[in-house]
Amino acid sequence: MVWDHWFALFGTPLLMALSMAIGFFLARFLDSLEPSYELMRVGDFPATPELISSKFLTSILRQSGLISRGTSVKDFTWTKLKGGVHFHVVQAVLNYESTTEVDATSRPKSVVVKMINGGDSMSIWLKMLLWIRLKWSWFAPIPASVEELAYRLKGYKIETRFYRHYAHQVAIPVPRCFYNYEDLYRVRFLMVLEDLSPFETGEPDGFTQATSKLLMENLAVLHAEFWKAPFFHEPPAESIKPSIWTFGGYWFGNKEMPHGKNLKACWDKMVAAYPEQKLDLVAGDSFGANMEAVVEQLTTAVHRLTPRTMVHGDYKISNLFVNVQKPKSYTIDWQWMGGGCPATDVAYFIYTSTDIPLLKEPVAHPKYPFVKSELELLKCYHDALVRRGIKKYTFDDFAQQYMMNVMFFAVFCMRAKYSNMGPADVLRYKSHREDGLHLRSFEHMKFLLAQASRMEKLVRRTLEGVPSSPQSGRPGRRDSIDDGEVGTDLAPKKDL
């Protein structure tokens, strides 16, 4: 009884002090660890593009088997590429010196170096919290700002492990990865990738209709490969079991959607912020109120859509490269890959990446409010699925899911982007070529809002009987829409 009394008084504080002491010494231990052997083989981590050395690149290319011992990188010139928001992304054009011609055909003329170094300015405690959160996704008693950073870093972890484990399984072309390094504790990621810059990028105004159809077929190949399967087919070669997002796409699940912001208030703010665009005429005065009335049901329904496949989650203009001679398209930036509805990637691409004259085209379908070019791309994608054996996913099923995804993406843009921006921000996105055309182009913004308004009545019928979702909190709060990590245990289903 005496011991119980003493433990009740002092037990909890003592346990907390012991936990803090253990955490402190563990943090100090991790902070003192030498970089991994993988990194030590190629030299010190280049914290900035200016610190990339010829020796560093020579070691990586030799390690990858692209150049022989008799060849080295003599010097190089680097250029920072546009589009990288959180990473440093640079192109390095290489000059070699060599005593042999054995590797003359395998030497890359240039490479892309993608790097982040976020830990040098962090305290030991902050790095420790991030490391624990990334190692154990269920552990979440951390500040919201740290949680948001943890989500970013999880995306980078997913991409590095995609190239390490699964890039060879994906049926669509991806760049070769020559070097892949991650240090979760020090917040360091570095990849050296094949340079795709000689290919068509769709910049600055978007892909043509012909190229967009090629990219729709490319997307259908990816989706058909993992149709009704969790995400990948074979287990990883290493003991580490990789993970991907439960819901692919940065606007799905709990990642970034600012749940709870009233859409009518967002709409009124947008109408005032963009007077020259006349948004109230584009989508109607009551658009914000109409969207607010259905948003909770829409959020529930769009996360329940089936069948599921593996979605890229960021299939847009700055992440796509097309070799028009072959023709062949490459897809980069896999941070937001995960499970999801196939229409998610399709809707996102059309509203972020095409240069078709969307607002000037008439509606071309008797049942759905799709304009001519939009309808052509949707049919192109669906026909490509059918050719790959997906027989039970009808065009009507696809069209309904597509409209729901268009509306949900419009909700995200209204809450997280448009209502916090103004015309000057759109012009800045355009000049820097950041993100997709939905943020760079007034025409794409208006088309997204106009189509969401047209689709709202049809989607409202689909949502009848769907329960409202509870309002979610900050990213990472584990509520009804979970973004936990998922494995790859199940085999793909035969019934397509």
Side-chain angles (χ1 to χ4, degrees), residues 278-299:
K278 296 180 173 59
L279 298 183
D280 53 335
L281 298 180
V282 169
D285 286 330
S286 61
F287 177 62
N290 293 342
M291 295 290 278
E292 177 64 25
V294 301
V295 65
E296 291 189 20
Q297 292 172 297
L298 176 65
T299 301

Side-chain angles (χ1 to χ4, degrees), residues 398-440:
F398 170 53
Q400 290 286 348
Q401 295 185 358
Y402 171 80
M403 290 191 296
M404 292 175 68
N405 272 277
V406 171
M407 284 186 61
F408 191 66
F409 185 56
V411 167
F412 168 78
C413 289
M414 290 170 66
R415 281 175 160 171
K417 299 296 182 179
Y418 298 153
S419 61
N420 300 316
M421 296 167 52
D425 297 299
V426 176
L427 297 176
R428 177 178 57 81
Y429 273 106
K430 182 178 181 179
S431 65
H432 293 174
R433 296 186 183 179
E434 288 183 18
D435 218 296
L437 298 178
H438 64 300
L439 300 183
R440 306 187 211 168

Side-chain angles (χ1 to χ4, degrees), residues 42-43 52-60 73 76:
V42 296
I52 300 172
S53 66
S54 297
K55 181 181 178 181
F56 185 81
L57 293 173
T58 297
S59 299
I60 287 172
V73 177
F76 64 94

Side-chain angles (χ1 to χ4, degrees), residues 170-173 212-227 309-316 320 329 331 334 341-350 377 380-382 384-385 388 398:
V170 177
I172 63 175
S212 294
K213 288 181 178 180
L214 173 65
L215 290 164
M216 285 291 94
E217 293 179 0
N218 185 67
L219 198 53
V221 172
L222 173 67
H223 292 165
E225 180 74 11
F226 302 103
W227 200 260
T309 185
M310 194 272 278
V311 299
H312 179 270
D314 199 12
Y315 196 78
K316 68 170 182 279
L320 301 167
S329 62
T331 307
W334 293 82
C341 167
T344 297
D345 279 337
V346 177
Y348 183 72
F349 171 80
I350 289 176
L377 293 179
C380 175
Y381 169 82
H382 189 262
L385 279 183
R388 284 158 181 82
F398 170 53

Side-chain angles (χ1 to χ4, degrees), residues 267 270-271 274-284 446:
W267 178 245
M270 289 165 55
V271 171
Y274 303 91
E276 294 185 7
Q277 306 307 320
K278 296 180 173 59
L279 298 183
D280 53 335
L281 298 180
V282 169
K446 291 191 289 186

Side-chain angles (χ1 to χ4, degrees), residues 45-79:
F45 183 89
T48 65
E50 291 83 359
L51 296 178
I52 300 172
S53 66
S54 297
K55 181 181 178 181
F56 185 81
L57 293 173
T58 297
S59 299
I60 287 172
L61 296 177
R62 284 179 180 170
Q63 182 178 300
S64 303
L66 296 171
I67 62 175
S68 66
R69 287 290 173 185
T71 302
S72 61
V73 177
K74 180 181 179 181
D75 55 53
F76 64 94
T77 57
W78 66 267
T79 305

Side-chain angles (χ1 to χ4, degrees), residues 324-353:
V324 293
Q325 271 72 40
K326 289 207 172 178
K328 185 177 182 181
S329 62
Y330 295 81
T331 307
I332 66 169
D333 281 9
W334 293 82
Q335 294 101 314
W336 302 111
M337 59 180 282
C341 167
T344 297
D345 279 337
V346 177
Y348 183 72
F349 171 80
I350 289 176
Y351 287 86
T352 64
S353 309

